[in-house]
Amino acid sequence: MSDAVLSLGNTTKAYTILILPGNYTEQVNVTRQAPLTLLGQTSHPNDASKNTVNIIWHNATGTATTGTYDNAYTSTLTIAPDFNASTTGSGPDGNPVPAGTPFGNTNFRTYNLNFINDYLPYSAGPSLALSMSYANAGFYYTQFLSYQDTVYVGKLGNAYMYECIVGGQTDFFYGFGTLWVTNSNIKLRGCGGGITAWKGSNTTFVNKYGVYIHDSHVAKANSTLNITGECALGRPWNAQMRSIFSNNYLDDSIEPSGFIEWSATDPRVTFNTTLAEYHDYGPGFNLTGRLEANITIEMTPQEYAPYSTPAKVFQYPFLGAFGNVGWIDEHPQA
């Protein structure tokens, strides 16, 4: 499949690539700016659990076997204009993206594909299934499966997930950009760190970078997992993290506190930190536990309103104007 993507070149023409059923062991890198759709062949277009196309990679970083290098090297699917735009880096702000780096793909989409990083069947180190930065990307009926850092939405990344399945164990939604997940299945394959970990950024304009999980099902991946009360909704990668869970079913795997501090010695929770819920429900929603821990914000309708739709959080690159949603498929496979 990567050969098909590379063969398109960086033209201005939109393309769709149809991918036949099977297992493809490779990394896929998308650098082109023009619209591109990757479409997996399936008899069940409205059910991600029945996808028949698997793109698989096996890599991690920070392990005794692999050594340490940037997380970007591990990803099964990467969408970014160049390598420098895709790196995670370290420190409060991560790796700086060189000035003048152009925005990447303006309208990238996948349907009915599974992206898998199966380096080990547990959290051994960052092992990305998705890395996307400096791009707009919509994922529909798509699976992303790994254990640690499954989904990375980097700087100036706008990502939308609808009816997806995302599995992980440690900080498996992380990044700097903006991610909206809706009507999806979040599979807890274990508990470590949090479900979400985000770094907020200072900009010259008001920004709403963060991760927003809506109307989704958050539960253990299978009934054999003994993780009752052990999984946190998230922890602050820096003190400007914004993570909002709204209208989700939470099973009993979720910690009573909801969100947690980064660590006991480095909590990273300040007045700039937004670790919040709005109308979550299920056995994993423990209002008493939330209030006692005093980390999770239970939003009022007025507090939630500025974050209630994709148009209110997705921004145009560089200038920061809101309403950047023309790339979203509002009626996928209807």
Side-chain angles (χ1 to χ4, degrees):
M1 186 175 66
S2 57
D3 288 343
V5 172
L6 289 171
S7 73
L8 303 178
N10 196 19
T11 67
T12 58
K13 184 178 180 181
Y15 281 96
T16 296
I17 298 175
L18 176 65
I19 304 162
L20 299 182
N23 295 333
Y24 300 81
T25 303
E26 59 183 322
Q27 290 178 293
V28 179
N29 296 300
V30 178
T31 59
R32 73 190 319 264
Q33 294 175 301
L36 173 62
T37 297
L38 303 182
L39 181 63
Q41 188 178 72
T42 179
S43 299
H44 306 277
N46 296 318
D47 187 349
S49 70
K50 296 180 179 178
N51 291 349
T52 59
V53 179
N54 300 306
I55 301 95
I56 305 167
W57 197 241
H58 327 271
N59 198 5
T61 181
T63 75
T65 302
T66 65
T68 299
Y69 36 78
D70 194 86
N71 299 4
Y73 287 100
T74 72
S75 188
T76 308
L77 170 65
T78 299
I79 309 143
D82 57 32
F83 178 76
N84 287 328
S86 72
T87 57
T88 299
S90 59
D93 303 314
N95 278 353
V97 179
T101 298
F103 196 70
N105 201 283
T106 57
N107 189 348
F108 177 84
R109 299 180 180 184
T110 68
Y111 297 83
N112 300 105
L113 299 174
N114 298 336
F115 294 94
I116 302 164
N117 189 329
D118 63 355
Y119 176 73
L120 284 173
Y122 54 84
S123 182
S127 48
L128 283 57
L130 168 66
S131 170
M132 63 85 59
S133 305
Y134 271 62
N136 301 326
F139 306 99
Y140 309 92
Y141 306 99
T142 297
Q143 292 196 44
F144 297 98
L145 302 176
S146 184
Y147 285 86
Q148 182 168 337
D149 298 350
T150 305
V151 168
Y152 173 61
V153 179
K155 293 174 180 177
L156 295 188
N158 293 315
Y160 179 88
M161 295 184 176
Y162 176 82
E163 289 282 356
C164 289
I165 297 172
V166 182
Q169 176 179 347
T170 303
D171 302 335
F172 60 96
F173 292 100
Y174 87 107
F176 297 87
T178 306
L179 170 62
W180 185 282
V181 181
T182 186
N183 296 92
S184 292
N185 191 349
I186 313 303
K187 289 183 173 289
L188 307 173
R189 308 177 89 183
C191 299
I195 297 171
T196 62
W198 224 257
K199 281 185 178 177
S201 302
N202 292 319
T203 55
T204 57
F205 48 82
V206 173
N207 76 69
K208 294 182 183 175
Y209 302 152
V211 52
Y212 304 89
I213 299 180
H214 293 255
D215 301 299
S216 294
H217 188 269
V218 182
K220 58 177 71 71
N222 62 70
S223 59
T224 65
L225 290 169
N226 183 20
I227 54 175
T228 300
E230 295 183 8
C231 291
L233 296 177
R235 58 177 182 157
W237 198 17
N238 74 7
Q240 295 169 276
M241 171 170 166
R242 181 181 290 114
S243 175
I244 301 176
F245 283 70
S246 65
N247 298 300
N248 301 292
Y249 171 84
L250 308 177
D251 86 342
D252 63 6
S253 306
I254 302 303
E255 285 213 16
S257 66
F259 289 89
I260 60 173
E261 298 173 337
W262 181 259
S263 70
T265 57
D266 184 15
R268 304 184 186 178
V269 177
T270 71
F271 67 93
N272 284 321
T273 316
T274 304
L275 308 176
E277 288 180 290
Y278 182 73
H279 291 181
D280 284 342
Y281 62 96
F285 179 72
N286 182 331
L287 182 58
T288 300
R290 305 295 201 264
L291 295 175
E292 287 179 350
N294 196 30
I295 299 171
T296 303
I297 300 167
E298 297 302 322
M299 285 182 153
T300 66
Q302 292 75 23
E303 290 172 325
Y304 175 66
Y307 310 99
S308 60
T309 68
K312 293 180 180 180
V313 300
F314 282 123
Q315 297 172 258
Y316 289 93
F318 306 114
L319 298 178
F322 290 97
N324 179 18
V325 294
W327 49 275
I328 295 174
D329 184 352
E330 296 182 351
H331 306 285
Q333 315 260 342

